[in-house]
PDB file of all heavy atoms in Angstrom:
ATOM      1  N   GLY A   1     107.137 130.799   6.325  1.00 92.00           N
ATOM      2  CA  GLY A   1     106.122 130.015   7.015  1.00 92.00           C
ATOM      3  C   GLY A   1     105.992 128.600   6.490  1.00 92.00           C
ATOM      4  O   GLY A   1     105.142 127.838   6.966  1.00 92.00           O
ATOM      5  N   THR A   2     106.827 128.235   5.532  1.00 95.00           N
ATOM      6  CA  THR A   2     106.779 126.874   4.984  1.00 95.00           C
ATOM      7  C   THR A   2     107.193 125.872   6.057  1.00 95.00           C
ATOM      8  O   THR A   2     108.150 126.101   6.796  1.00 95.00           O
ATOM      9  CB  THR A   2     107.710 126.743   3.774  1.00 95.00           C
ATOM     10  OG1 THR A   2     107.316 127.712   2.792  1.00 95.00           O
ATOM     11  CG2 THR A   2     107.622 125.355   3.175  1.00 95.00           C
ATOM     12  N   ILE A   3     106.460 124.773   6.116  1.00 96.00           N
ATOM     13  CA  ILE A   3     106.703 123.741   7.131  1.00 96.00           C
ATOM     14  C   ILE A   3     106.867 122.399   6.452  1.00 96.00           C
ATOM     15  O   ILE A   3     106.155 122.079   5.488  1.00 96.00           O
ATOM     16  CB  ILE A   3     105.534 123.689   8.138  1.00 96.00           C
ATOM     17  CG1 ILE A   3     105.515 124.960   8.997  1.00 96.00           C
ATOM     18  CG2 ILE A   3     105.631 122.464   9.015  1.00 96.00           C
ATOM     19  CD1 ILE A   3     104.284 125.076   9.871  1.00 96.00           C
ATOM     20  N   TYR A   4     107.799 121.621   6.971  1.00 96.00           N
ATOM     21  CA  TYR A   4     107.995 120.248   6.506  1.00 96.00           C
ATOM     22  C   TYR A   4     107.878 119.315   7.698  1.00 96.00           C
ATOM     23  O   TYR A   4     108.392 119.608   8.781  1.00 96.00           O
ATOM     24  CB  TYR A   4     109.369 120.089   5.854  1.00 96.00           C
ATOM     25  CG  TYR A   4     109.600 120.995   4.680  1.00 96.00           C
ATOM     26  CD1 TYR A   4     110.305 122.186   4.811  1.00 96.00           C
ATOM     27  CD2 TYR A   4     109.096 120.674   3.416  1.00 96.00           C
ATOM     28  CE1 TYR A   4     110.514 123.026   3.737  1.00 96.00           C
ATOM     29  CE2 TYR A   4     109.301 121.513   2.336  1.00 96.00           C
ATOM     30  CZ  TYR A   4     110.006 122.689   2.516  1.00 96.00           C
ATOM     31  OH  TYR A   4     110.201 123.522   1.437  1.00 96.00           O
ATOM     32  N   TYR A   5     107.209 118.189   7.488  1.00 97.00           N
ATOM     33  CA  TYR A   5     107.046 117.177   8.530  1.00 97.00           C
ATOM     34  C   TYR A   5     107.597 115.837   8.063  1.00 97.00           C
ATOM     35  O   TYR A   5     107.548 115.505   6.878  1.00 97.00           O
ATOM     36  CB  TYR A   5     105.571 116.971   8.875  1.00 97.00           C
ATOM     37  CG  TYR A   5     104.914 118.100   9.610  1.00 97.00           C
ATOM     38  CD1 TYR A   5     104.068 118.981   8.944  1.00 97.00           C
ATOM     39  CD2 TYR A   5     105.123 118.288  10.977  1.00 97.00           C
ATOM     40  CE1 TYR A   5     103.439 120.019   9.615  1.00 97.00           C
ATOM     41  CE2 TYR A   5     104.500 119.323  11.661  1.00 97.00           C
ATOM     42  CZ  TYR A   5     103.666 120.185  10.977  1.00 97.00           C
ATOM     43  OH  TYR A   5     103.054 121.216  11.652  1.00 97.00           O
ATOM     44  N   ALA A   6     108.054 115.047   9.040  1.00 96.00           N
ATOM     45  CA  ALA A   6     108.344 113.653   8.754  1.00 96.00           C
ATOM     46  C   ALA A   6     107.020 112.916   8.587  1.00 96.00           C
ATOM     47  O   ALA A   6     106.035 113.213   9.283  1.00 96.00           O
ATOM     48  CB  ALA A   6     109.149 113.039   9.901  1.00 96.00           C
ATOM     49  N   ASP A   7     106.992 111.935   7.701  1.00 95.00           N
ATOM     50  CA  ASP A   7     105.755 111.183   7.475  1.00 95.00           C
ATOM     51  C   ASP A   7     105.256 110.520   8.751  1.00 95.00           C
ATOM     52  O   ASP A   7     104.049 110.370   8.956  1.00 95.00           O
ATOM     53  CB  ASP A   7     105.980 110.128   6.399  1.00 95.00           C
ATOM     54  CG  ASP A   7     106.128 110.721   5.016  1.00 95.00           C
ATOM     55  OD1 ASP A   7     105.716 111.877   4.809  1.00 95.00           O
ATOM     56  OD2 ASP A   7     106.668 110.026   4.127  1.00 95.00           O
ATOM     57  N   SER A   8     106.190 110.152   9.625  1.00 92.00           N
ATOM     58  CA  SER A   8     105.821 109.407  10.828  1.00 92.00           C
ATOM     59  C   SER A   8     104.989 110.228  11.810  1.00 92.00           C
ATOM     60  O   SER A   8     104.297 109.661  12.661  1.00 92.00           O
ATOM     61  CB  SER A   8     107.077 108.905  11.533  1.00 92.00           C
ATOM     62  OG  SER A   8     107.916 110.002  11.900  1.00 92.00           O
ATOM     63  N   VAL A   9     105.041 111.558  11.711  1.00 95.00           N
ATOM     64  CA  VAL A   9     104.309 112.389  12.669  1.00 95.00           C
ATOM     65  C   VAL A   9     103.278 113.297  12.002  1.00 95.00           C
ATOM     66  O   VAL A   9     102.553 114.024  12.690  1.00 95.00           O
ATOM     67  CB  VAL A   9     105.272 113.236  13.529  1.00 95.00           C
ATOM     68  CG1 VAL A   9     106.236 112.334  14.279  1.00 95.00           C
ATOM     69  CG2 VAL A   9     106.018 114.256  12.692  1.00 95.00           C
ATOM     70  N   LYS A  10     103.218 113.265  10.690  1.00 96.00           N
ATOM     71  CA  LYS A  10     102.284 114.125   9.965  1.00 96.00           C
ATOM     72  C   LYS A  10     100.863 113.816  10.411  1.00 96.00           C
ATOM     73  O   LYS A  10     100.455 112.655  10.461  1.00 96.00           O
ATOM     74  CB  LYS A  10     102.443 113.890   8.461  1.00 96.00           C
ATOM     75  CG  LYS A  10     101.952 115.012   7.592  1.00 96.00           C
ATOM     76  CD  LYS A  10     102.309 114.754   6.128  1.00 96.00           C
ATOM     77  CE  LYS A  10     103.792 114.798   5.879  1.00 96.00           C
ATOM     78  NZ  LYS A  10     104.127 114.632   4.447  1.00 96.00           N
ATOM     79  N   GLY A  11     100.116 114.850  10.754  1.00 96.00           N
ATOM     80  CA  GLY A  11      98.752 114.676  11.216  1.00 96.00           C
ATOM     81  C   GLY A  11      98.631 114.553  12.729  1.00 96.00           C
ATOM     82  O   GLY A  11      97.534 114.743  13.280  1.00 96.00           O
ATOM     83  N   ARG A  12      99.716 114.243  13.415  1.00 97.00           N
ATOM     84  CA  ARG A  12      99.683 114.150  14.887  1.00 97.00           C
ATOM     85  C   ARG A  12     100.456 115.270  15.550  1.00 97.00           C
ATOM     86  O   ARG A  12     100.074 115.736  16.628  1.00 97.00           O
ATOM     87  CB  ARG A  12     100.266 112.814  15.360  1.00 97.00           C
ATOM     88  CG  ARG A  12      99.463 111.604  14.996  1.00 97.00           C
ATOM     89  CD  ARG A  12      99.930 110.384  15.789  1.00 97.00           C
ATOM     90  NE  ARG A  12     101.342 110.096  15.579  1.00 97.00           N
ATOM     91  CZ  ARG A  12     102.227 109.939  16.557  1.00 97.00           C
ATOM     92  NH1 ARG A  12     101.856 110.030  17.824  1.00 97.00           N
ATOM     93  NH2 ARG A  12     103.493 109.642  16.278  1.00 97.00           N
ATOM     94  N   PHE A  13     101.557 115.691  14.929  1.00 98.00           N
ATOM     95  CA  PHE A  13     102.407 116.736  15.496  1.00 98.00           C
ATOM     96  C   PHE A  13     102.245 118.014  14.669  1.00 98.00           C
ATOM     97  O   PHE A  13     102.113 117.951  13.447  1.00 98.00           O
ATOM     98  CB  PHE A  13     103.872 116.327  15.478  1.00 98.00           C
ATOM     99  CG  PHE A  13     104.231 115.216  16.437  1.00 98.00           C
ATOM    100  CD1 PHE A  13     103.256 114.503  17.129  1.00 98.00           C
ATOM    101  CD2 PHE A  13     105.553 114.871  16.630  1.00 98.00           C
ATOM    102  CE1 PHE A  13     103.599 113.476  18.002  1.00 98.00           C
ATOM    103  CE2 PHE A  13     105.920 113.856  17.496  1.00 98.00           C
ATOM    104  CZ  PHE A  13     104.931 113.152  18.184  1.00 98.00           C
ATOM    105  N   THR A  14     102.311 119.152  15.357  1.00 98.00           N
ATOM    106  CA  THR A  14     102.203 120.442  14.693  1.00 98.00           C
ATOM    107  C   THR A  14     103.284 121.376  15.220  1.00 98.00           C
ATOM    108  O   THR A  14     103.390 121.571  16.433  1.00 98.00           O
ATOM    109  CB  THR A  14     100.830 121.082  14.929  1.00 98.00           C
ATOM    110  OG1 THR A  14      99.799 120.190  14.473  1.00 98.00           O
ATOM    111  CG2 THR A  14     100.707 122.401  14.183  1.00 98.00           C
ATOM    112  N   ILE A  15     104.039 121.962  14.305  1.00 98.00           N
ATOM    113  CA  ILE A  15     105.048 122.943  14.682  1.00 98.00           C
ATOM    114  C   ILE A  15     104.473 124.335  14.471  1.00 98.00           C
ATOM    115  O   ILE A  15     103.731 124.579  13.511  1.00 98.00           O
ATOM    116  CB  ILE A  15     106.352 122.746  13.866  1.00 98.00           C
ATOM    117  CG1 ILE A  15     107.470 123.637  14.408  1.00 98.00           C
ATOM    118  CG2 ILE A  15     106.125 122.987  12.384  1.00 98.00           C
ATOM    119  CD1 ILE A  15     108.831 123.341  13.776  1.00 98.00           C
ATOM    120  N   SER A  16     104.790 125.223  15.406  1.00 97.00           N
ATOM    121  CA  SER A  16     104.326 126.601  15.292  1.00 97.00           C
ATOM    122  C   SER A  16     105.344 127.510  15.966  1.00 97.00           C
ATOM    123  O   SER A  16     106.283 127.032  16.605  1.00 97.00           O
ATOM    124  CB  SER A  16     102.944 126.766  15.926  1.00 97.00           C
ATOM    125  OG  SER A  16     103.001 126.465  17.314  1.00 97.00           O
ATOM    126  N   GLU A  17     105.147 128.813  15.817  1.00 96.00           N
ATOM    127  CA  GLU A  17     106.074 129.731  16.453  1.00 96.00           C
ATOM    128  C   GLU A  17     105.350 130.939  17.019  1.00 96.00           C
ATOM    129  O   GLU A  17     104.239 131.275  16.606  1.00 96.00           O
ATOM    130  CB  GLU A  17     107.152 130.195  15.461  1.00 96.00           C
ATOM    131  CG  GLU A  17     106.651 131.143  14.394  1.00 96.00           C
ATOM    132  CD  GLU A  17     107.746 131.951  13.740  1.00 96.00           C
ATOM    133  OE1 GLU A  17     108.865 132.045  14.283  1.00 96.00           O
ATOM    134  OE2 GLU A  17     107.488 132.514  12.665  1.00 96.00           O
ATOM    135  N   ASP A  18     106.005 131.549  17.980  1.00 94.00           N
ATOM    136  CA  ASP A  18     105.615 132.866  18.480  1.00 94.00           C
ATOM    137  C   ASP A  18     106.818 133.764  18.199  1.00 94.00           C
ATOM    138  O   ASP A  18     107.790 133.751  18.954  1.00 94.00           O
ATOM    139  CB  ASP A  18     105.299 132.791  19.975  1.00 94.00           C
ATOM    140  CG  ASP A  18     104.816 134.127  20.526  1.00 94.00           C
ATOM    141  OD1 ASP A  18     105.187 135.189  19.978  1.00 94.00           O
ATOM    142  OD2 ASP A  18     104.067 134.114  21.514  1.00 94.00           O
ATOM    143  N   ALA A  19     106.745 134.476  17.095  1.00 91.00           N
ATOM    144  CA  ALA A  19     107.890 135.259  16.659  1.00 91.00           C
ATOM    145  C   ALA A  19     108.270 136.333  17.678  1.00 91.00           C
ATOM    146  O   ALA A  19     109.450 136.627  17.881  1.00 91.00           O
ATOM    147  CB  ALA A  19     107.604 135.889  15.296  1.00 91.00           C
ATOM    148  N   ALA A  20     107.276 136.911  18.326  1.00 92.00           N
ATOM    149  CA  ALA A  20     107.549 137.972  19.292  1.00 92.00           C
ATOM    150  C   ALA A  20     108.379 137.461  20.465  1.00 92.00           C
ATOM    151  O   ALA A  20     109.207 138.181  21.031  1.00 92.00           O
ATOM    152  CB  ALA A  20     106.238 138.576  19.785  1.00 92.00           C
ATOM    153  N   LYS A  21     108.145 136.201  20.832  1.00 91.00           N
ATOM    154  CA  LYS A  21     108.866 135.599  21.952  1.00 91.00           C
ATOM    155  C   LYS A  21     110.081 134.798  21.489  1.00 91.00           C
ATOM    156  O   LYS A  21     110.821 134.274  22.307  1.00 91.00           O
ATOM    157  CB  LYS A  21     107.937 134.674  22.743  1.00 91.00           C
ATOM    158  CG  LYS A  21     106.798 135.397  23.433  1.00 91.00           C
ATOM    159  CD  LYS A  21     105.954 134.418  24.238  1.00 91.00           C
ATOM    160  CE  LYS A  21     104.830 135.147  24.967  1.00 91.00           C
ATOM    161  NZ  LYS A  21     103.974 134.193  25.732  1.00 91.00           N
ATOM    162  N   ASN A  22     110.274 134.721  20.173  1.00 93.00           N
ATOM    163  CA  ASN A  22     111.370 133.938  19.601  1.00 93.00           C
ATOM    164  C   ASN A  22     111.309 132.489  20.108  1.00 93.00           C
ATOM    165  O   ASN A  22     112.329 131.921  20.534  1.00 93.00           O
ATOM    166  CB  ASN A  22     112.730 134.568  19.918  1.00 93.00           C
ATOM    167  CG  ASN A  22     113.765 134.281  18.850  1.00 93.00           C
ATOM    168  OD1 ASN A  22     113.427 133.831  17.750  1.00 93.00           O
ATOM    169  ND2 ASN A  22     115.011 134.516  19.168  1.00 93.00           N
ATOM    170  N   ARG A  23     110.124 131.930  20.049  1.00 96.00           N
ATOM    171  CA  ARG A  23     109.902 130.561  20.501  1.00 96.00           C
ATOM    172  C   ARG A  23     109.257 129.738  19.397  1.00 96.00           C
ATOM    173  O   ARG A  23     108.462 130.240  18.599  1.00 96.00           O
ATOM    174  CB  ARG A  23     108.970 130.534  21.717  1.00 96.00           C
ATOM    175  CG  ARG A  23     109.621 130.936  23.019  1.00 96.00           C
ATOM    176  CD  ARG A  23     108.629 130.892  24.152  1.00 96.00           C
ATOM    177  NE  ARG A  23     109.246 131.222  25.423  1.00 96.00           N
ATOM    178  CZ  ARG A  23     109.643 130.311  26.298  1.00 96.00           C
ATOM    179  NH1 ARG A  23     109.461 129.033  26.052  1.00 96.00           N
ATOM    180  NH2 ARG A  23     110.208 130.693  27.432  1.00 96.00           N
ATOM    181  N   VAL A  24     109.605 128.462  19.395  1.00 97.00           N
ATOM    182  CA  VAL A  24     108.987 127.501  18.504  1.00 97.00           C
ATOM    183  C   VAL A  24     108.376 126.402  19.359  1.00 97.00           C
ATOM    184  O   VAL A  24     108.948 126.024  20.392  1.00 97.00           O
ATOM    185  CB  VAL A  24     110.012 126.911  17.519  1.00 97.00           C
ATOM    186  CG1 VAL A  24     109.412 125.743  16.751  1.00 97.00           C
ATOM    187  CG2 VAL A  24     110.477 127.970  16.543  1.00 97.00           C
ATOM    188  N   TYR A  25     107.241 125.896  18.927  1.00 98.00           N
ATOM    189  CA  TYR A  25     106.518 124.893  19.694  1.00 98.00           C
ATOM    190  C   TYR A  25     106.329 123.626  18.866  1.00 98.00           C
ATOM    191  O   TYR A  25     106.323 123.660  17.635  1.00 98.00           O
ATOM    192  CB  TYR A  25     105.149 125.419  20.109  1.00 98.00           C
ATOM    193  CG  TYR A  25     105.213 126.704  20.900  1.00 98.00           C
ATOM    194  CD1 TYR A  25     105.031 127.934  20.261  1.00 98.00           C
ATOM    195  CD2 TYR A  25     105.461 126.697  22.262  1.00 98.00           C
ATOM    196  CE1 TYR A  25     105.094 129.124  20.977  1.00 98.00           C
ATOM    197  CE2 TYR A  25     105.527 127.869  22.983  1.00 98.00           C
ATOM    198  CZ  TYR A  25     105.349 129.073  22.337  1.00 98.00           C
ATOM    199  OH  TYR A  25     105.415 130.243  23.045  1.00 98.00           O
ATOM    200  N   LEU A  26     106.146 122.526  19.572  1.00 98.00           N
ATOM    201  CA  LEU A  26     105.757 121.273  18.923  1.00 98.00           C
ATOM    202  C   LEU A  26     104.587 120.705  19.708  1.00 98.00           C
ATOM    203  O   LEU A  26     104.753 120.241  20.840  1.00 98.00           O
ATOM    204  CB  LEU A  26     106.914 120.267  18.889  1.00 98.00           C
ATOM    205  CG  LEU A  26     106.626 119.001  18.104  1.00 98.00           C
ATOM    206  CD1 LEU A  26     106.510 119.330  16.599  1.00 98.00           C
ATOM    207  CD2 LEU A  26     107.700 117.946  18.323  1.00 98.00           C
ATOM    208  N   GLN A  27     103.411 120.801  19.121  1.00 98.00           N
ATOM    209  CA  GLN A  27     102.214 120.219  19.719  1.00 98.00           C
ATOM    210  C   GLN A  27     102.137 118.765  19.297  1.00 98.00           C
ATOM    211  O   GLN A  27     102.115 118.471  18.098  1.00 98.00           O
ATOM    212  CB  GLN A  27     100.967 120.978  19.260  1.00 98.00           C
ATOM    213  CG  GLN A  27      99.669 120.392  19.777  1.00 98.00           C
ATOM    214  CD  GLN A  27      99.512 120.540  21.272  1.00 98.00           C
ATOM    215  OE1 GLN A  27      99.828 121.580  21.836  1.00 98.00           O
ATOM    216  NE2 GLN A  27      99.024 119.493  21.933  1.00 98.00           N
ATOM    217  N   MET A  28     102.092 117.877  20.269  1.00 98.00           N
ATOM    218  CA  MET A  28     102.083 116.445  19.994  1.00 98.00           C
ATOM    219  C   MET A  28     100.782 115.841  20.517  1.00 98.00           C
ATOM    220  O   MET A  28     100.514 115.912  21.720  1.00 98.00           O
ATOM    221  CB  MET A  28     103.285 115.778  20.655  1.00 98.00           C
ATOM    222  CG  MET A  28     104.613 116.403  20.267  1.00 98.00           C
ATOM    223  SD  MET A  28     106.028 115.504  20.931  1.00 98.00           S
ATOM    224  CE  MET A  28     105.807 115.762  22.693  1.00 98.00           C
ATOM    225  N   ASN A  29     100.003 115.275  19.632  1.00 98.00           N
ATOM    226  CA  ASN A  29      98.724 114.673  19.986  1.00 98.00           C
ATOM    227  C   ASN A  29      98.739 113.176  19.698  1.00 98.00           C
ATOM    228  O   ASN A  29      99.586 112.680  18.961  1.00 98.00           O
ATOM    229  CB  ASN A  29      97.598 115.331  19.199  1.00 98.00           C
ATOM    230  CG  ASN A  29      97.461 116.806  19.493  1.00 98.00           C
ATOM    231  OD1 ASN A  29      97.726 117.273  20.608  1.00 98.00           O
ATOM    232  ND2 ASN A  29      97.049 117.580  18.494  1.00 98.00           N
ATOM    233  N   SER A  30      97.789 112.480  20.291  1.00 97.00           N
ATOM    234  CA  SER A  30      97.637 111.029  20.067  1.00 97.00           C
ATOM    235  C   SER A  30      98.971 110.324  20.266  1.00 97.00           C
ATOM    236  O   SER A  30      99.401 109.516  19.430  1.00 97.00           O
ATOM    237  CB  SER A  30      97.100 110.757  18.656  1.00 97.00           C
ATOM    238  OG  SER A  30      95.867 111.398  18.475  1.00 97.00           O
ATOM    239  N   LEU A  31      99.604 110.620  21.368  1.00 97.00           N
ATOM    240  CA  LEU A  31     100.945 110.080  21.609  1.00 97.00           C
ATOM    241  C   LEU A  31     100.904 108.571  21.794  1.00 97.00           C
ATOM    242  O   LEU A  31      99.944 108.014  22.350  1.00 97.00           O
ATOM    243  CB  LEU A  31     101.571 110.763  22.822  1.00 97.00           C
ATOM    244  CG  LEU A  31     102.077 112.178  22.528  1.00 97.00           C
ATOM    245  CD1 LEU A  31     102.315 112.953  23.819  1.00 97.00           C
ATOM    246  CD2 LEU A  31     103.352 112.135  21.706  1.00 97.00           C
ATOM    247  N   LYS A  32     101.979 107.935  21.332  1.00 96.00           N
ATOM    248  CA  LYS A  32     102.119 106.489  21.408  1.00 96.00           C
ATOM    249  C   LYS A  32     103.388 106.154  22.202  1.00 96.00           C
ATOM    250  O   LYS A  32     104.292 106.994  22.329  1.00 96.00           O
ATOM    251  CB  LYS A  32     102.244 105.910  19.995  1.00 96.00           C
ATOM    252  CG  LYS A  32     101.160 106.352  19.036  1.00 96.00           C
ATOM    253  CD  LYS A  32     101.467 105.878  17.629  1.00 96.00           C
ATOM    254  CE  LYS A  32     100.459 106.421  16.633  1.00 96.00           C
ATOM    255  NZ  LYS A  32     100.778 105.996  15.253  1.00 96.00           N
ATOM    256  N   ALA A  33     103.460 104.922  22.654  1.00 96.00           N
ATOM    257  CA  ALA A  33     104.642 104.503  23.406  1.00 96.00           C
ATOM    258  C   ALA A  33     105.913 104.693  22.583  1.00 96.00           C
ATOM    259  O   ALA A  33     106.968 105.059  23.120  1.00 96.00           O
ATOM    260  CB  ALA A  33     104.491 103.053  23.840  1.00 96.00           C
ATOM    261  N   GLU A  34     105.805 104.491  21.277  1.00 95.00           N
ATOM    262  CA  GLU A  34     106.993 104.627  20.417  1.00 95.00           C
ATOM    263  C   GLU A  34     107.421 106.074  20.207  1.00 95.00           C
ATOM    264  O   GLU A  34     108.453 106.328  19.581  1.00 95.00           O
ATOM    265  CB  GLU A  34     106.764 103.943  19.068  1.00 95.00           C
ATOM    266  CG  GLU A  34     105.485 104.335  18.379  1.00 95.00           C
ATOM    267  CD  GLU A  34     104.361 103.327  18.636  1.00 95.00           C
ATOM    268  OE1 GLU A  34     104.205 102.886  19.804  1.00 95.00           O
ATOM    269  OE2 GLU A  34     103.635 103.012  17.668  1.00 95.00           O
ATOM    270  N   ASP A  35     106.661 107.016  20.719  1.00 97.00           N
ATOM    271  CA  ASP A  35     107.085 108.420  20.685  1.00 97.00           C
ATOM    272  C   ASP A  35     108.042 108.749  21.834  1.00 97.00           C
ATOM    273  O   ASP A  35     108.571 109.862  21.892  1.00 97.00           O
ATOM    274  CB  ASP A  35     105.870 109.356  20.764  1.00 97.00           C
ATOM    275  CG  ASP A  35     104.988 109.268  19.541  1.00 97.00           C
ATOM    276  OD1 ASP A  35     105.520 109.211  18.416  1.00 97.00           O
ATOM    277  OD2 ASP A  35     103.746 109.268  19.708  1.00 97.00           O
ATOM    278  N   THR A  36     108.246 107.803  22.732  1.00 97.00           N
ATOM    279  CA  THR A  36     109.163 108.021  23.843  1.00 97.00           C
ATOM    280  C   THR A  36     110.568 108.258  23.326  1.00 97.00           C
ATOM    281  O   THR A  36     111.115 107.451  22.572  1.00 97.00           O
ATOM    282  CB  THR A  36     109.153 106.810  24.790  1.00 97.00           C
ATOM    283  OG1 THR A  36     107.865 106.703  25.390  1.00 97.00           O
ATOM    284  CG2 THR A  36     110.212 106.955  25.872  1.00 97.00           C
ATOM    285  N   ALA A  37     111.154 109.386  23.722  1.00 98.00           N
ATOM    286  CA  ALA A  37     112.474 109.780  23.224  1.00 98.00           C
ATOM    287  C   ALA A  37     112.888 111.073  23.904  1.00 98.00           C
ATOM    288  O   ALA A  37     112.089 111.708  24.599  1.00 98.00           O
ATOM    289  CB  ALA A  37     112.441 109.980  21.715  1.00 98.00           C
ATOM    290  N   VAL A  38     114.129 111.454  23.667  1.00 98.00           N
ATOM    291  CA  VAL A  38     114.575 112.803  23.994  1.00 98.00           C
ATOM    292  C   VAL A  38     114.309 113.670  22.767  1.00 98.00           C
ATOM    293  O   VAL A  38     114.707 113.303  21.662  1.00 98.00           O
ATOM    294  CB  VAL A  38     116.061 112.847  24.375  1.00 98.00           C
ATOM    295  CG1 VAL A  38     116.500 114.278  24.645  1.00 98.00           C
ATOM    296  CG2 VAL A  38     116.330 111.965  25.587  1.00 98.00           C
ATOM    297  N   TYR A  39     113.654 114.776  22.965  1.00 98.00           N
ATOM    298  CA  TYR A  39     113.277 115.672  21.873  1.00 98.00           C
ATOM    299  C   TYR A  39     114.208 116.881  21.866  1.00 98.00           C
ATOM    300  O   TYR A  39     114.413 117.524  22.913  1.00 98.00           O
ATOM    301  CB  TYR A  39     111.825 116.107  22.035  1.00 98.00           C
ATOM    302  CG  TYR A  39     110.861 115.017  21.630  1.00 98.00           C
ATOM    303  CD1 TYR A  39     110.749 113.852  22.389  1.00 98.00           C
ATOM    304  CD2 TYR A  39     110.094 115.131  20.479  1.00 98.00           C
ATOM    305  CE1 TYR A  39     109.884 112.833  22.010  1.00 98.00           C
ATOM    306  CE2 TYR A  39     109.235 114.115  20.096  1.00 98.00           C
ATOM    307  CZ  TYR A  39     109.137 112.974  20.862  1.00 98.00           C
ATOM    308  OH  TYR A  39     108.287 111.963  20.475  1.00 98.00           O
TER     309      TYR A  39
END
């Protein structure tokens, strides 16, 4: 369950998982124009 974040998104982005569904999520809040990218 250990998580590492880049400093640039710490506090705004949150990674989580649903192990039963074998899915990982990235919750992105307070989005800025500079967050525009392919993820």
Side-chain angles (χ1 to χ4, degrees):
T2 302
I3 291 172
Y4 301 98
Y5 289 103
D7 288 341
S8 60
V9 302
K10 202 173 293 184
R12 293 194 302 128
F13 290 9
T14 303
I15 188 172
S16 62
E17 71 160 343
D18 183 332
K21 295 182 178 179
N22 209 14
R23 283 179 178 262
V24 170
Y25 303 97
L26 186 68
Q27 177 68 41
M28 305 185 294
N29 298 328
S30 302
L31 284 164
K32 308 173 185 178
E34 51 263 43
D35 293 318
T36 295
V38 177
Y39 284 68

